Amino acid sequence: MKGISGETKNLGVIGWPIVHSLSPAMQAAAIRAAGIDYAYIAMPVHPEALTQAVAGLRSLGFRGFNVTIPHKTAIIECLDKIDEDARRIGAVNTVVIEDGRLSGHNTDVTGFLRGLSRQGMTVRGKRAALFGAGGAARAVIWGLAKEGAERITVGVRDEMKARAALADLASVVNLEVFSWEDTAFRDALKNAALLVNSTPLGMTPKLEAIPPVDWNLVQPSAFVYDIIYTPARTRFLQEAEARGHRVLNGTSMLVGQGAEALALWTGIQPDEAAMERALLDALAGKREADRA
Ligand code: NAP
């Protein structure tokens, strides 16, 4: 493989902190597999330095960059335009720089949907029940709406807060929000062809946590998707699997959002299997380091 040269085009990810980002490992694997002349690095950017850092990346001729916590919303002010997914979600995770102009995208939508389509799961005309109403939930809701889901019902611990947070999406999508204790949400569980967890409940290290689901209400044919990727099988997915449901974790969403970002920057269709292997290796390395 060719090393870095004066012709190498630069990519990266900005966040604060950024040391735990899995994107450099995934993107480096995709770049290697494609044999393209790009480099991808992690760049710590303090919130107060965001505008300056973005101007710097533009001046340095970066081809683009990913954006992670805490900059996903604040970055919008620094951009020349954003696409519809980013506008609906209110967050940008990918910036493309073309002729000095910055465009913002949100590839979580594509990543989430790619996981479903790989499993042969279609949502058109079907109902979905979703736990959680945070940033990731917005990408899930918008993705499901774009794919033609008939109705999306969100269950949360704080109904008032979630209704306020999702009011803009509810005005354009067939969306309802209830406390997950509410009978209306329990009814939605009965009618859902797809259940999605978009809360952090069950994520490492709190492995015992689980969103409140009464499996007796859920149709046996329902597809169960947890967008968490550590651990690979949350308690939510383990219980679903034990009841015979088809299940999916968040790995394919994470790989899919990264692949879509690289496609936007380079025009290639990345090798997602290579990206997934690199991601799983990086996660295994993290577990080793945590145990040491
Ligand atoms: P977020 O913005 O903080 O939202 C989390 C949501 O879960 C909120 O509705 C929050 O409710 C709820 N929640 C949090 N802790 C809870 C608890 N103890 N009990 C009940 N509800 C709780 O987070 P996010 O960015 O949406 O991320 C959510 C999860 O998705 C994380 O596990 C993250 O790792 C995963 N994720 C995966 C991918 C992927 O590519 N696979 C991408 C993005 C995110 P309140 O508003 O009441 O706090």
Side-chain angles (χ1 to χ4, degrees):
M1 203 201 78
K2 242 176 89 174
I4 291 176
S5 75
E7 288 176 69
T8 304
K9 295 180 198 67
N10 291 320
L11 300 168
V13 54
I14 62 168
W16 185 269
I18 199 66
V19 284
H20 299 295
S21 174
L22 296 160
S23 294
M26 265 197 314
Q27 297 292 0
I31 288 166
R32 245 187 337 266
I36 51 177
D37 195 5
Y38 282 82
Y40 185 104
I41 55 170
M43 298 174 285
V45 172
H46 188 276
E48 282 174 17
L50 179 63
T51 311
Q52 251 181 313
V54 172
L57 293 172
R58 186 201 306 248
S59 304
L60 290 166
F62 268 60
R63 174 72 186 117
F65 54 94
N66 282 130
V67 183
T68 187
I69 292 164
H71 304 311
K72 286 185 173 190
T73 299
I75 186 91
I76 294 173
E77 289 291 301
C78 309
L79 306 177
D80 297 299
K81 59 177 182 180
I82 61 173
D83 72 4
E84 192 189 13
D85 287 351
R87 184 167 59 81
R88 293 294 186 195
I89 297 164
V92 161
N93 76 341
T94 302
V95 174
V96 177
I97 309 181
E98 206 140 36
D99 301 326
R101 286 177 60 77
L102 276 64
S103 58
H105 306 259
N106 193 308
T107 64
D108 281 339
V109 180
T110 309
F112 170 76
L113 292 174
R114 202 169 291 179
L116 280 179
S117 68
R118 289 263 152 90
Q119 298 295 314
M121 171 70 191
T122 53
V123 292
R124 182 157 302 282
K126 295 179 183 159
R127 295 187 183 190
L130 172 67
F131 293 92
R138 294 182 66 86
V140 171
I141 291 166
W142 179 242
L144 291 174
K146 280 209 324 181
E147 285 298 296
E150 185 198 310
R151 182 181 300 166
I152 303 157
T153 307
V154 178
V156 288
R157 62 176 167 185
D158 184 338
E159 187 177 322
M160 298 299 274
K161 179 183 174 190
R163 282 207 173 152
L166 296 178
D168 58 333
L169 277 178
S171 67
V172 290
V173 166
N174 191 355
L175 174 70
E176 43 188 21
V177 182
F178 299 109
S179 158
W180 50 38
E181 314 284 335
D182 200 308
T183 320
F185 186 69
R186 291 171 63 79
D187 286 343
L189 286 179
K190 286 184 201 159
N191 295 319
L194 172 68
L195 258 60
V196 184
N197 176 34
S198 71
T199 73
L201 291 165
M203 191 167 75
T204 305
K206 295 189 175 163
L207 300 177
E208 279 310 306
I210 180 168
V213 54
D214 181 347
W215 294 111
N216 294 321
L217 298 176
V218 180
Q219 293 176 27
S221 60
F223 188 97
V224 179
Y225 193 167
D226 194 331
I227 66 166
I228 291 173
Y229 48 86
T230 51
R233 283 285 180 271
T234 55
R235 189 173 151 205
F236 183 60
L237 289 191
Q238 287 173 27
E239 290 190 4
E241 248 180 341
R243 289 181 163 258
H245 291 284
R246 285 185 298 151
V247 302
L248 180 65
N249 72 15
T251 304
S252 57
M253 176 171 173
L254 189 60
V255 171
Q257 62 77 30
E260 178 66 9
L262 194 62
L264 287 170
W265 296 319
T266 66
I268 63 152
Q269 278 313 312
D271 179 344
E272 291 189 35
M275 295 178 83
E276 184 165 341
R277 279 195 301 277
L279 170 65
L280 296 178
D281 284 351
L283 287 171
K286 268 191 204 299
R287 279 197 299 275
E288 279 295 302
D290 288 347
R291 268 198 294 269

